């Protein structure tokens, strides 16, 4: 599967440069899409990514995408190709055909190159091809600034795809705030919280190297590059898992390829299937680090004890960290954060975890801090954010950034004060460390 990142919002045809009138650009865009579809049908008819990308191009380029129909006259396509390869957008078109229809398949890319050169033998085509398939360091010919940027974006996507994936598995009892924590790490609502719905399947959430504006999904071999909120939050499907791809608003996440694995709560009373799904995923070992999320208000429950014993018996101790969540709900008069951490550490050591790493956080505070940047909060969320800001700034004991396992406490970061004090930034630094084991 090719990368589900599609940098279309930076595309030249998305810019408002209608110097020759709307009709001209409408015709140009239709022809542009027809040519991409021609190569997809010819060389990559089973390519799910190409089909999904083409759908997005139709929806973004055309005012009335439902009126677009692919012509049956392939000779007409050849005529269009011959005409369009003489226009200023021919290099963009060639670039799109390579990345959408060929991807990393050099043989298909070679055929597309041959078809382009058969109607207009252009050295620029050959050098762009060589850049992507032979030597990425080869000097490109003089190109427009926008095209250089577009090539740079595709380069970053391809390089990102070649990085090893850091797989982080999250497990918890219901109501521990696991899904809220994942949403806080991503920076948007990508998985439902347990008080809204209880998922009975595995969610794999992958980060993208650039913010292309899309949340993409892969489920039952169905690709949707531009999924809406209902589609990626819908838990009614019969599939056992869904993969979601989006840009993470997280510490240095663009330097690492992450897969956050969200598992069902193990104590869902309505179905024992959820526990089996989670336990099987843990025992598979197909992950690099297990993050066990614990509700700070309910430490040492029977359900937690049973699940902790299961984890201890099936997971190496150097592949586990514990996130103590919901500390924002503590009251200064009645609760003590250091004492809670000490109590949790003693409980974990009693079970058999040696020198457990415990990172205290308020996932909800971090999520509100990030959401404020990208969306309009509702009245309740604004009130909650105001309360969090007051609580974390007024009382030093709520500054969770003091509990640092990364050694980067003095790092100067331009970020929301609440995000730092929520402790989630500490967790993000830990996850982007050189080595996830310790």
């Amino acid at each position: 599967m090719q990368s589900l990142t599609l940098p279309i919002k930076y595309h030249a045809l998305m810019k408002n440069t209608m110097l020759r009138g709307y009709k001209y650009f409408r015709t140009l865009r239709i022809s542009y899409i027809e040519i991409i579809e021609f190569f997809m049908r010819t060389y990559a008819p089973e390519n799910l990514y190409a089909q999904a990308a083409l759908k997005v191009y139709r929806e973004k380029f055309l005012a009335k995408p439902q009126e677009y129909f692919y012509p049956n006259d392939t000779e007409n396509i050849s005529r269009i190709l011959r005409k369009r390869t003489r226009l200023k957008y021919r290099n963009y078109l060639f670039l799109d055909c390579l990345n959408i229809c060929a991807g990393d398949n050099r043989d298909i890319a070679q055929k597309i190159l041959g078809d382009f050169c058969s109607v207009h033998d252009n050295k620029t085509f050959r050098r762009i091809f060589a850049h992507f398939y032979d030597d990425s360091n080869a000097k490109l010919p003089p190109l427009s600034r926008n095209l250089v940027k577009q090539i740079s974006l595709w380069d970053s996507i391809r390089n990102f795809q070649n990085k090893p994936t850091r797989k982080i598995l999250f497990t918890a009892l219901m109501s521990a705030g696991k899904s809220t924590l994942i949403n806080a790490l991503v920076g948007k609502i990508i998985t439902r919280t347990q008080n809204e719905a209880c998922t009975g399947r595995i969610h794999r959430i992958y980060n993208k190297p650039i913010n292309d504006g899309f949340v993409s999904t892969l489920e039952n071999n169905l690709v949707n590059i531009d999924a809406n909120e209902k589609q990626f939050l819908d838990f009614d499907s019969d599939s056992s898992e869904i993969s979601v791809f989006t840009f993470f608003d997280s510490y240095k996440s663009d330097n690492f390829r992450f897969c956050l694995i969200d598992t069902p709560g193990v104590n869902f009373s309505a179905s024992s299937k959820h526990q089996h799904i989670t336990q099987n995923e843990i025992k598979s070992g197909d992950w690099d680090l297990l993050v066990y999320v614990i509700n700070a208000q309910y430490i040492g429950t029977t359900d937690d004890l049973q699940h902790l014993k299961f984890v201890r018996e099936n997971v190496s101790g150097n592949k586990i960290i514990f996130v103590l969540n919901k500390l924002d709900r503590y009251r200064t008069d009645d609760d003590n954060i250091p004492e809670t951490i000490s109590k949790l550490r003693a409980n974990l050591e009693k079970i058999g975890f040696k020198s457990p790493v415990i990172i205290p956080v308020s996932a909800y505070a971090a999520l509100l801090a990030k959401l404020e940047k990208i969306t309009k909060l509702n009245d309740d969320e604004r009130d909650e954010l105001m309360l969090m800001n007051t609580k974390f700034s007024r009382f030093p004991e709520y500054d969770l950034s003091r509990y640092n396992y990364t050694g980067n406490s003095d790092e100067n970061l331009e970020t929301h004060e609440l995000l730092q004090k929520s402790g989630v930034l500490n967790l993000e630094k830990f996850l982007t460390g050189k080595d996830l084991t310790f």
Side-chain angles (χ1 to χ4, degrees), residues 377-435:
L377 301 179
N378 61 38
D379 291 341
D380 289 339
E381 290 169 337
R382 284 198 302 272
D383 291 343
E384 291 279 359
L385 179 60
M386 185 180 302
L387 177 64
M388 295 286 186
N389 279 321
T390 301
K391 196 169 188 177
F392 279 81
S393 61
R394 180 179 298 175
F395 304 105
E397 56 266 39
Y398 285 96
D399 183 0
L400 303 179
S401 65
R402 297 180 299 170
Y403 305 93
N404 192 329
Y405 288 89
T406 66
N408 294 326
S409 58
D410 296 328
E411 186 175 7
N412 184 22
L413 292 174
E414 293 183 5
T415 187
H416 201 297
E417 181 183 6
L418 180 59
L419 177 59
Q420 293 198 47
K421 292 185 175 181
S422 72
V424 169
L425 187 57
N426 280 348
L427 177 60
E428 293 176 355
K429 291 178 180 179
F430 187 95
L431 297 181
T432 54
K434 291 183 179 180
D435 190 352

Side-chain angles (χ1 to χ4, degrees), residues 143-376:
L143 300 169
S144 70
R145 183 174 60 182
N146 286 335
L147 186 59
V148 170
K149 181 177 181 179
Q150 196 75 16
I151 291 175
S152 176
L153 288 170
W154 281 116
D155 278 339
S156 66
I157 293 169
R158 286 179 168 228
N159 292 336
F160 190 77
Q161 286 299 111
N162 292 327
K163 293 182 178 181
T165 302
R166 293 190 168 193
K167 299 179 182 179
I168 317 296
L169 187 146
F170 292 77
T171 187
L173 303 187
M174 290 180 60
S175 301
K178 169 176 57 64
S179 295
T180 301
L181 178 62
I182 292 174
N183 289 334
L185 293 171
V186 175
K188 60 176 72 74
I189 305 297
I190 210 71
T191 180
R192 288 187 179 180
T193 54
Q194 298 291 16
N195 61 347
E196 294 174 323
C198 188
T199 176
R201 60 180 176 175
I202 301 295
H203 276 198
R204 303 186 191 278
I205 303 156
Y206 296 85
N207 62 322
K208 294 185 176 186
I210 63 173
N211 189 2
D212 61 359
F214 299 126
V215 175
S216 308
T217 60
L218 174 61
E219 181 181 17
N220 288 335
N221 290 324
L222 297 177
V223 177
N224 188 342
I225 287 178
D226 189 14
N228 59 42
E229 183 173 322
K230 182 180 184 302
Q231 289 168 322
F232 63 79
L233 292 180
D234 183 8
F235 293 149
D236 297 328
S237 170
D238 293 332
S239 64
S240 60
E241 65 178 62
I242 181 173
S243 296
V244 180
F245 303 78
T246 188
F247 180 78
F248 287 12
D249 178 13
S250 184
Y251 177 79
K252 292 186 178 180
S253 67
D254 54 340
N255 292 343
F256 297 88
R257 193 177 177 202
F258 278 107
C259 173
L260 308 183
I261 306 171
D262 188 12
T263 60
V266 294
N267 61 331
F268 182 45
S269 59
S271 176
S272 61
K273 178 182 177 183
H274 291 198
Q275 182 180 28
H276 295 313
I277 291 172
T278 297
Q279 289 183 346
N280 288 337
E281 189 68 22
I282 290 173
K283 288 193 291 187
S284 74
D286 188 20
W287 42 268
D288 300 299
L289 182 73
L290 185 145
V291 176
Y292 194 118
V293 185
I294 296 175
N295 187 339
Q297 295 180 298
Y298 303 104
I299 293 177
T301 65
T302 301
D303 286 341
D304 241 336
L305 180 61
Q306 291 177 350
H307 191 44
L308 283 167
K309 287 182 176 179
F310 171 83
V311 171
R312 178 66 189 91
E313 293 168 359
N314 290 276
V315 180
S316 172
N318 67 343
K319 295 184 68 176
I320 308 169
I321 66 169
F322 299 92
V323 172
L324 185 61
N325 190 25
K326 298 195 175 184
L327 287 166
D328 55 274
R329 300 190 180 186
Y330 269 27
R331 297 180 181 273
T332 54
D333 295 336
D334 303 326
D335 302 305
N336 186 296
I337 293 175
E339 287 183 5
T340 301
I341 295 173
S342 296
K343 177 183 176 181
L344 175 58
R345 175 169 284 107
N347 288 348
L348 293 174
E349 290 176 345
K350 186 176 180 180
I351 294 171
F353 295 101
K354 296 181 179 179
S355 302
V357 172
I358 302 172
I359 301 180
V361 305
S362 168
Y364 188 50
L367 178 60
L368 288 176
K370 290 188 179 183
L371 289 180
E372 186 187 27
K373 297 188 301 182
I374 63 171
T375 188
K376 184 177 180 181

